[in-house]
Amino acid sequence: DTAVSQTPKYLVTQMGNDKSIKCEQNLGHDTMYWYKQDSKKFLKIMFSYNNKELIINETVPNRFSPKSPDKAHLNLHINSLELGDSAVYFCASSQGPGTSAEAFFGQGTRLTVV
Amino acid sequence: GNSVTQMEGPVTLSEEAFLTINCTYTATGYPSLFWYVQYPGEGLQLLLKATKADDKGSNKGFEATYRKETTSFHLEKGSVQVSDSAVYFCALTPNSGGYQKVTFGIGTKLQVIP
């Protein structure tokens, strides 16, 4: 019974395509996140939603658009994919935006743009 | 702004050796501090945390003590196993009210050889 699940696990696509990654959490958490992890394992936050409302939007190209249809789902749509978008994308959730809230991560989506 | 500095890896140890991974932070007030672990091909998972000064977090033989005076949260384990091979991330969330965001260090890769 996976707490945070994201699909697909692997995604290989050509430059210029549009793709989506889906994320769902069954923990009842209010806050969800998207992170990007590069080839050196550096982890960078992209977006955060609290109860379907965008609360953190880091300097990410506007080709990336998150969508939260309800508080259990946070999807990531990417337009006009570029080679530099190749990375592992992690979805995460936490009980709230509080200071000691542990984040639960999905298994990641490895995106390869060719 | 907030930041987390941790030693660059990889760290290579023999089984049963003593492990220390250094982590220092910059933040106003009293942040909460975390260590996350990422096993190969998986997402991050919480290893341990501490929410106030002098707290010691511990789990699976790992320990870290929140040192306000040195702004540090070093990870230690007395005897590592091959199964501890992973990437370890130090992280913090600030205690400044409002919506929080987790700040991660760069990650330290640990390789334990038999």
Side-chain angles (χ1 to χ4, degrees):
Chain A
D1 192 20
T2 307
V4 181
S5 60
Q6 48 182 115
T7 55
K9 190 169 182 181
Y10 299 97
L11 184 54
V12 181
T13 188
Q14 290 188 323
M15 281 176 58
N17 283 351
D18 303 338
K19 290 293 179 186
S20 291
I21 307 172
K22 295 187 175 182
C23 178
E24 176 182 5
Q25 54 96 1
N26 62 7
L27 298 167
H29 288 166
D30 289 335
T31 308
M32 295 186 72
Y33 312 82
W34 277 109
Y35 285 87
K36 179 181 180 181
Q37 186 176 47
D38 63 23
S39 58
K40 295 186 178 179
K41 301 294 186 183
F42 182 71
L43 205 61
K44 180 182 174 183
I45 191 166
M46 301 173 70
F47 302 102
S48 176
Y49 272 73
N50 187 66
N51 253 326
K52 302 194 298 175
E53 180 185 343
L54 180 67
I55 56 172
I56 293 173
N57 184 353
E58 295 294 294
T59 48
V60 175
N62 57 15
R63 298 181 295 104
F64 291 79
S65 53
K67 282 189 173 54
S68 182
D70 55 60
K71 75 174 193 177
H73 295 84
L74 180 61
N75 304 322
L76 183 65
H77 188 75
I78 316 170
N79 289 328
S80 304
L81 278 154
E82 300 178 356
L83 293 177
D85 297 332
S86 295
V88 181
Y89 292 84
F90 286 101
C91 177
S93 73
S94 64
Q95 179 62 38
T99 58
S100 62
E102 170 191 353
F104 291 79
F105 283 77
Q107 293 229 321
T109 296
R110 181 174 294 277
L111 171 65
T112 304
V113 182
V114 297
Chain B
N2 302 317
S3 67
V4 174
T5 303
Q6 60 180 111
M7 55 196 293
E8 282 200 51
V11 173
T12 303
L13 294 173
S14 297
E15 215 167 14
E16 299 183 5
F18 185 87
L19 168 72
T20 300
I21 300 178
N22 290 336
C23 172
T24 57
Y25 67 89
T26 303
T28 53
Y30 292 86
S32 292
L33 302 174
F34 306 82
W35 277 100
Y36 283 85
V37 59
Q38 183 180 26
Y39 297 104
E42 296 185 12
L44 281 72
Q45 54 186 276
L46 181 70
L47 181 60
L48 52 86
K49 72 178 185 184
T51 57
K52 60 184 189 296
D54 300 325
D55 265 4
K56 178 186 280 187
S58 60
N59 185 24
K60 300 182 182 179
F62 290 89
E63 292 183 340
T65 301
Y66 189 142
R67 302 282 188 206
K68 180 69 176 173
E69 63 276 12
T70 54
T71 61
S72 64
F73 193 54
H74 304 321
L75 182 69
E76 296 181 337
K77 186 174 184 182
S79 175
V80 293
Q81 305 301 312
V82 172
S83 57
D84 294 327
S85 298
V87 181
Y88 292 81
F89 292 88
C90 186
L92 71 80
T93 54
N95 186 18
S96 53
Y99 295 114
Q100 311 298 339
K101 139 181 121 167
V102 182
T103 298
F104 285 93
I106 60 170
T108 302
K109 184 174 182 179
L110 170 65
Q111 288 178 296
V112 180
I113 53 178

